Amino acid sequence: MALLIGVPKEVAAGEKRVATVPDVVQKLAKLGFEVAVESGAGEAANFADEDYRAAGAEVLPGAADVWARADIVFKVRPPTLEEVGMLREGATLVGFVWPAQNPELMQALQARRATVLAIDCLPRQLSRAQKMDALTSMAGISGYRAVIEAANAFGRFFNGQITAAGKIPPAKVFIAGAGVAGLAAIGTAANLGAIVRANDTRAEVADQVVSLGGEFVKVDYEEEGSGGGGYAKVMSEGFQAAQRAMYAQQAREVDIIITTALIPGKPAPKLITAEMVQSMKPGSVIVDLAAEQGGNCELTVPGEAVVRHGVTIIGYTDLVSRLAKQSSTLYSNNLLRMTEDLCKAKDGNILVNFEDDAIRGLTVIRDGELTWPAPPPKLPAAPAKPKAAATPIAAPKGHGHGAGEPMSVKSLAVVFGIGAVLFLLVGLYAPAAFLAHFTVFVLACFVGYMVVWNVTPSLHTPLMSVTNAISSIIAIGALVQVAPPLSDSVVDRPNALILGLAVFALALTAVNMFGGFAVTRRMLAMFRK
């Protein structure tokens, strides 16, 4: 019998997202599930009840109907204790749970003998888990929206302009933290024309910052800041002091600061002090993405935008919900990918397989039994380093030479002696015509070698440069054969076979050369915007 997936309306204040959109309802149906949605669940994200009905979902009048009937409940925010009381005993709950921050909620779910899959506990270090990574999806949206909110509160253009009315300098934006949200903010601000600077405790993200059009600002203190699961770690006091000095300098110079620093399960670190805010230019903007966990700025008021010392400090906790349609679509796709892994048979039933590291990490309660925290996932072993090649034993002097060693003087003399004898025999007994052709052949080999290997690759790859040089030599040789002779002697005229081969060689060479330039042009076009 197919299981019923229920999607209740979110009850958290300001939450506009919905856990499943109509397009995903159709895909869930193909997996064998039935879907029931509470009436009005998607209205705030611009998904009408009629859209869900058209996709094949049943629309139920109230939340109690959804919670009581659903075998699996898809949620965005953690459920309230009242919602848990409506959950069917033994049902499955999927959504954000944050077990470390909600011990009372975990106890209530255990009492209902529920199975709980917390999307926030996904082992993000597993590459195959990226398709289910709702944290990354939501962080990217919040970073984008942070720039939009900053632009709305800022009193000027982001990009610099020169107009008849005067010159407008570009805005300077500093982004603290270059995780998913930070990188999204960097790309958005750079695309709007701002001068973007960013900092992160993880040195490896510097190239990503530059690739998105930003400048990486390094802290003058050597310490590695990479933590587990793609997050940064808590840094030493020495590093933090150097970091505060750098932030103080940036606060005096930039127009907009966007802070994204947050480690799950820990209070948001205070990066921007009141003194830094006071040093900023009037009309500047701070967007604090860590406001829900206390904020990275000392003057942030969670859920509000306030003005302090002439600086607008935005501490909205619903940035993702301000793009409700987009965020709901991405989130529901993440849940769909997770459901596909739970229902490989496509029969409308799920199997919580603990042999799957991604599913094991997600599962915080199974049949009422606490399974959180999950053991670390088994990551693939690093490839073994190749064994060092044994050092070859040098051959004794006077007994030949090893591979790669220069030829001895005696051997070189023998080779040149044999070559001289061969040339002498050719000169004494070969016909005069052969000697002329042989001389041209030797000179051609020497000149061709020097021409080919001295071509400097510029817009071409080295291989393309060498092949074009060889093609040029072939073309010159063919043109010499095709060109009319200087005399009218029949002997000097090329026969039909030679003439045909020369024309054929010219045609092939032309195709090779012009084709090479065409391929090079297309390759270069791939790197142009």
Side-chain angles (χ1 to χ4, degrees):
M1 182 178 177
L3 299 180
L4 175 67
I5 296 176
V7 183
K9 185 176 181 179
E10 297 296 321
V11 298
E15 183 56 72
K16 299 178 181 178
R17 289 174 291 176
V18 62
T20 296
V21 300
D23 285 345
V24 172
V25 168
Q26 296 177 335
K27 296 172 183 177
L28 290 172
K30 290 180 180 178
L31 291 175
F33 296 98
E34 297 177 2
V35 181
V37 181
E38 181 184 351
S39 179
E43 282 182 0
N46 296 317
F47 296 111
D49 290 347
E50 290 73 18
D51 296 331
Y52 285 103
R53 289 193 183 96
E58 181 182 2
V59 178
L60 300 177
D65 298 321
V66 175
W67 286 96
R69 287 184 51 189
D71 302 296
I72 305 169
V73 176
F74 280 2
K75 278 275 292 169
V76 179
R77 294 268 186 169
T80 64
L81 295 178
E82 183 181 353
E83 288 178 316
V84 174
M86 295 187 289
L87 180 66
R88 273 183 55 190
E89 188 167 340
T92 299
L93 174 69
V94 181
F96 286 105
V97 177
W98 305 108
Q101 290 87 350
N102 297 301
E104 190 177 354
L105 172 62
M106 293 289 287
Q107 291 175 3
L109 289 167
Q110 283 182 266
R112 302 296 294 177
R113 299 185 56 80
T115 295
V116 181
L117 302 179
I119 202 72
D120 48 277
C121 291
L122 180 75
R124 302 172 76 188
Q125 60 268 47
L126 296 175
S127 58
R128 58 172 296 274
Q130 293 176 2
K131 61 185 179 182
M132 318 176 208
D133 191 357
L135 283 172
T136 294
S137 300
M138 300 302 103
I141 293 173
S142 65
Y144 172 87
R145 184 69 191 195
V147 176
I148 302 304
E149 294 292 341
N152 181 56
F154 189 50
R156 291 193 286 107
F157 294 142
F158 264 44
N159 62 325
Q161 296 184 18
I162 298 177
T163 68
K167 181 180 178 181
I168 303 171
K172 295 180 180 178
V173 180
F174 177 71
I175 296 168
V180 177
L183 292 174
I186 292 166
T188 306
N191 288 336
L192 288 175
I195 297 173
V196 184
R197 303 169 185 170
N199 167 261
D200 197 281
T201 56
R202 297 161 293 183
E204 66 267 19
V205 304
D207 290 339
Q208 299 177 42
V209 171
V210 174
S211 69
L212 290 171
E215 174 192 351
F216 188 78
V217 182
K218 195 173 183 299
V219 177
D220 190 17
Y221 193 97
E222 293 299 328
E223 184 177 350
E224 176 53 43
S226 296
Y231 296 102
K233 70 175 184 180
V234 179
M235 307 299 287
S236 67
E237 183 55 40
F239 181 92
Q240 292 179 29
Q243 187 182 53
R244 283 192 294 269
M246 184 268 291
Y247 284 160
Q249 179 184 352
Q250 293 300 321
R252 291 190 295 268
E253 297 178 1
V254 303
D255 304 298
I256 295 167
I257 295 178
I258 298 174
T259 64
T260 69
L262 191 64
I263 299 175
K266 298 181 181 295
K270 300 300 180 186
L271 305 178
I272 308 299
T273 64
E275 290 77 13
M276 294 180 195
V277 175
Q278 193 169 3
S279 71
M280 295 180 73
K281 292 173 281 190
S284 299
V285 179
I286 296 175
V287 183
D288 195 338
L289 292 184
E292 195 166 5
Q293 281 76 37
N296 295 136
C297 177
E298 287 183 349
L299 302 182
T300 296
V301 178
E304 299 181 22
V306 297
V307 179
R308 299 287 186 268
H309 307 295
V311 178
T312 302
I313 304 172
I314 298 173
Y316 297 149
T317 57
D318 62 344
L319 288 176
V320 177
S321 279
R322 290 172 182 249
L323 286 170
K325 187 165 188 174
Q326 181 67 77
S327 54
S328 297
T329 301
L330 291 181
Y331 181 72
S332 59
N333 280 329
N334 292 139
L335 296 193
L336 171 67
R337 301 308 172 201
M338 182 206 65
T339 308
E340 288 174 343
D341 278 10
L342 290 169
C343 181
K344 294 185 181 295
K346 298 183 180 181
D347 58 354
N349 290 279
I350 62 172
L351 173 63
V352 181
N353 179 16
F354 272 22
E355 296 299 319
D356 186 325
D357 283 339
I359 300 302
R360 175 64 187 92
L362 285 169
T363 308
V364 295
I365 299 174
R366 183 167 69 169
D367 298 329
E369 180 184 350
L370 183 68
T371 59
W372 176 85
K378 304 181 189 72
L379 298 177
K385 294 182 180 180
K387 294 181 180 179
T391 305
I393 300 173
K397 291 183 179 180
H399 295 279
H401 59 279
E405 294 181 3
M407 189 181 294
S408 65
V409 176
K410 183 178 179 181
S411 301
L412 190 63
V414 171
V415 170
F416 270 96
I418 295 174
V421 171
L422 291 175
F423 274 106
L424 179 63
L425 293 174
V426 169
L428 290 175
Y429 299 104
F434 176 80
L435 283 176
H437 288 299
F438 184 71
T439 303
V440 171
F441 173 74
V442 171
L443 290 176
C445 289
F446 176 75
V447 172
Y449 177 85
M450 297 303 294
V451 168
V452 170
W453 295 112
N454 281 284
V455 173
T456 302
S458 52
L459 293 180
H460 304 316
T461 62
L463 178 61
M464 193 72 72
S465 301
V466 170
T467 55
N468 277 351
I470 295 173
S471 298
S472 301
I473 295 173
I474 296 172
I476 292 173
L479 287 172
V480 169
Q481 296 298 327
V482 172
L486 297 177
S487 66
D488 292 333
S489 173
V490 177
V491 177
D492 293 332
R493 296 176 185 172
N495 60 39
L497 177 61
I498 294 176
L499 188 62
L501 288 175
V503 172
F504 184 65
L506 271 177
L508 288 182
T509 304
V511 170
N512 182 58
M513 293 179 68
F514 286 105
F517 281 107
V519 170
T520 302
R521 184 181 181 85
R522 292 188 65 178
M523 289 174 63
L524 292 175
M526 294 170 61
F527 298 95
R528 297 192 186 104
K529 289 187 178 180

